[in-house]
Amino acid sequence: MKALEGVRILDFTHVQSGPTCTQLLAWFGADVIKVERPGTGDITRGQLCDIPAADSLYFTMLNHNKRSITLNTKDPSGKAVLEEMIKRCDVMVENFAPGALDRMGFSWERIQELNPAMIVASIKGFGPGPYQDCKVYENVAQCTGGAASTTGFRDGLPLVTGAQIGDSGTGLHLCLGIVTALYQRTKTGRGQKVSAAMQDGVLNLCRVKLRDQQRLARGPLEEYSQYGEGVEFGDSVPRAGNDSGGGQPGRILKCKGWEDDPNAYIYFITQAPVWEAICDVIGEPGWKTDPDYATPKARLPRLNEIFARIEEWTQTLNKFEVMDILNSRDIPCGPILSMKELAEDPSLRATGTVVEVEHPVRGTYLSVGNPVKLSDSPTEVLRSPLLGEHTYEILSEVLQFDDQAIARLQESGAIGEPAKIAAE
Ligand code: COA
């Protein structure tokens, strides 16, 4: 049995943020029914395509373990089908542009009328306020949530990160809200609205920078490199390059081969409790007792010099050799792993964090599996559905429509053609 077995999700999500949330729910065992527009479906099916006529990796990697029904929810008979689904599902998840669900005729009040136990979970770009009506994508959220202003180097542009903290990050937040609401419903019997704004999600992940903003009002941020470099602070948290976000100074340092390999680097942390071990490893035993180096406070203005010395040592070895030596002495570090290295990593394959998935049109592809492991609810990653693959199955089994009713829906154009492969 799976943790969320018996929970049925009406998945009205598209692109990335919403689908990451419903994919997690599916991995935890919920029956996730993805409602898509006939003909086109989720726009990502056709974006960044690498194999002609196959659903893109963008789509397949975000929609595992779901069923797909095609339904024109603006058509009167399509709306009637959606109403029946609302009555039979536990949770509706959506990330349409603000107001789209209301325009379709499914306001919170209407959904409550149809099913007072339904949880309606929404992702929007912004919460209530001046920007509430804006459409938002990943990088907009990174820029407006505090990530971009605090990422990059002091003398460069604000930077967005490769980690999709706006989309996938908010999907995670929403997922937690949904399971929490499901838990509360076991006591109240009532549904509720669950909202996660992408700006809020990014700001939550940038919490430490808001911490530093307040510390800045009381003096310079001594653990930032610019302090040691004698550069004055302005009135807001600066970009801090690869400085550690916490109290243990860290940097990315070159390893052997960095001239040719863009990822021959390691993140090195000068954690205070292992300072003596660091001094031994890099061949500076005198720094253990020298008052200029012996305490964290004394080291702060000298971090550039200290990391330059450590880098002299890291450059003599490749990143994995550095890691082996440091790990054996409990010194925290992180080699910069490329996507190629991660894709090929046998330990990630063994835990199911990287999985190979079989798809009838595209063949075998790699995906990230469920990063959250439950001992009593293991995840089996199943391929994403083809567009409308389960339309007939859902109409007949979940809604108990007979063949004539389904034929009428097909004639009216409210449901699309079933996917070719499914039909075969
Ligand atoms: N049948 C009929 N119509 C459908 C449908 C279906 N099955 N599914 C969607 N639609 C309609 C919607 O009702 C909407 O119609 P309307 O504009 O007439 O009200 C229309 O399709 C387009 O939806 P919308 O959400 O506006 O898509 P978009 O491509 O213009 O915008 C986003 C995309 C992501 C910018 C926008 O959805 C958004 O801001 N979402 C919230 C934030 C978010 O999640 N962003 C990150 C995405 S990774």
Side-chain angles (χ1 to χ4, degrees):
M1 131 156 217
K2 295 283 165 62
L4 293 183
E5 213 163 290
V7 175
R8 189 173 284 148
I9 311 285
L10 199 169
D11 181 6
F12 232 161
T13 68
H14 64 158
V15 201
Q16 185 185 162
S17 64
T20 46
C21 167
T22 50
Q23 178 168 261
L24 279 167
L25 296 169
W27 279 339
F28 291 136
D31 176 15
V32 176
I33 300 174
K34 185 166 173 109
V35 179
E36 298 183 79
R37 206 195 309 235
T40 46
D42 187 325
I43 194 168
T44 61
R45 284 187 186 267
Q47 284 181 335
L48 310 177
C49 286
D50 57 329
I51 297 177
D55 287 329
S56 70
L57 287 166
Y58 195 6
F59 177 83
T60 52
M61 291 177 72
L62 288 163
N63 289 285
H64 292 108
N65 297 58
K66 302 180 185 178
R67 301 199 275 175
S68 165
I69 175 173
T70 43
L71 192 63
N72 180 354
T73 54
K74 287 189 172 166
D75 169 283
S77 43
K79 267 192 184 110
V81 173
L82 190 67
E83 289 189 357
E84 291 308 308
M85 291 184 71
I86 289 172
K87 289 180 197 163
R88 288 170 177 78
C89 288
D90 300 283
V91 185
M92 177 195 280
V93 191
E94 64 92 19
N95 67 310
F96 290 129
L101 204 55
D102 288 353
R103 286 194 290 279
M104 214 185 268
F106 293 94
S107 62
W108 165 242
E109 291 73 23
R110 177 70 188 127
I111 294 169
Q112 284 261 284
E113 262 171 35
L114 293 166
N115 180 358
M118 175 160 262
I119 291 159
V120 180
S122 302
I123 291 179
K124 299 288 167 252
F126 296 94
Y131 307 121
Q132 64 189 24
D133 294 327
C134 299
K135 291 188 175 184
V136 166
Y137 283 106
E138 171 70 45
N139 289 346
V140 176
Q142 289 201 25
C143 292
T144 56
S149 69
T150 55
T151 303
F153 288 90
R154 206 176 54 243
D155 51 1
L157 286 177
L159 274 190
V160 293
T161 74
Q164 303 285 283
I165 57 177
D167 280 337
S168 291
T170 310
L172 274 166
H173 283 91
L174 191 75
C175 191
L176 178 60
I178 290 168
V179 290
T180 305
L182 278 168
Y183 181 71
Q184 191 171 11
R185 195 181 72 168
T186 60
K187 296 174 183 165
T188 64
R190 285 196 312 276
Q192 61 181 300
K193 275 199 275 188
V194 179
S195 311
M198 293 167 73
Q199 182 186 39
D200 301 8
V202 171
L203 181 57
N204 183 36
L205 298 176
C206 291
R207 182 172 291 263
V208 298
K209 297 297 177 183
L210 187 58
R211 172 201 68 196
D212 290 350
Q213 181 62 42
Q214 296 169 84
R215 292 173 58 232
L216 186 57
R218 302 195 179 87
L221 302 169
E222 295 183 2
E223 73 289 356
Y224 281 52
S225 305
Q226 85 176 66
Y227 172 72
E229 291 159 12
V231 179
E232 251 184 67
F233 284 82
D235 62 0
S236 61
V237 171
R239 292 187 271 287
N242 292 315
D243 290 350
S244 146
Q248 311 285 354
R251 296 277 175 89
I252 289 182
L253 304 178
K254 292 169 184 161
C255 294
K256 196 175 185 172
W258 66 271
E259 297 90 340
D260 304 314
D261 176 356
N263 296 304
Y265 293 85
I266 194 155
Y267 199 87
F268 192 110
I269 301 165
T270 54
Q271 193 201 7
V274 289
W275 175 245
E276 298 202 348
I278 293 170
C279 296
D280 288 335
V281 163
I282 64 170
E284 292 290 349
W287 283 2
K288 291 194 265 188
T289 48
D290 183 331
D292 282 349
Y293 300 89
T295 65
K297 182 111 184 117
R299 291 195 287 275
L300 284 176
R302 296 178 177 78
L303 289 178
N304 280 1
E305 179 208 338
I306 290 169
F307 279 113
R309 176 66 190 91
I310 298 172
E311 194 172 53
E312 265 178 43
W313 173 72
T314 56
Q315 282 189 79
T316 63
L317 301 161
N318 76 39
K319 63 189 176 189
F320 296 110
E321 291 166 341
V322 175
M323 189 187 197
D324 283 346
I325 293 171
L326 297 180
N327 275 352
S328 71
R329 293 165 194 242
D330 252 357
I331 302 168
C333 67
I336 307 304
L337 296 183
S338 67
M339 271 302 144
K340 183 169 185 297
E341 286 165 329
L342 289 163
E344 292 165 358
D345 186 320
S347 62
L348 292 175
R349 302 258 183 146
T351 58
T353 295
V354 174
V355 284
E356 274 187 13
V357 185
E358 240 343 277
H359 188 279
V361 185
R362 65 176 307 116
T364 308
Y365 66 95
L366 268 194
S367 194
V368 183
N370 191 348
V372 184
K373 324 285 186 204
L374 299 190
S375 62
D376 273 357
S377 182
T379 297
E380 185 195 357
V381 178
L382 305 174
R383 71 166 173 87
S384 58
L386 302 169
L387 180 61
E389 182 174 347
H390 306 97
T391 302
Y392 181 84
E393 178 182 305
I394 290 160
L395 291 174
S396 59
E397 285 171 23
V398 180
L399 303 185
Q400 283 158 6
F401 285 13
D402 61 25
D403 283 355
Q404 281 174 331
I406 295 174
R408 278 198 300 276
L409 282 171
Q410 192 137 18
E411 268 165 37
S412 75
I415 55 173
E417 293 289 323
K420 276 201 190 96
I421 296 284
E424 280 159 15

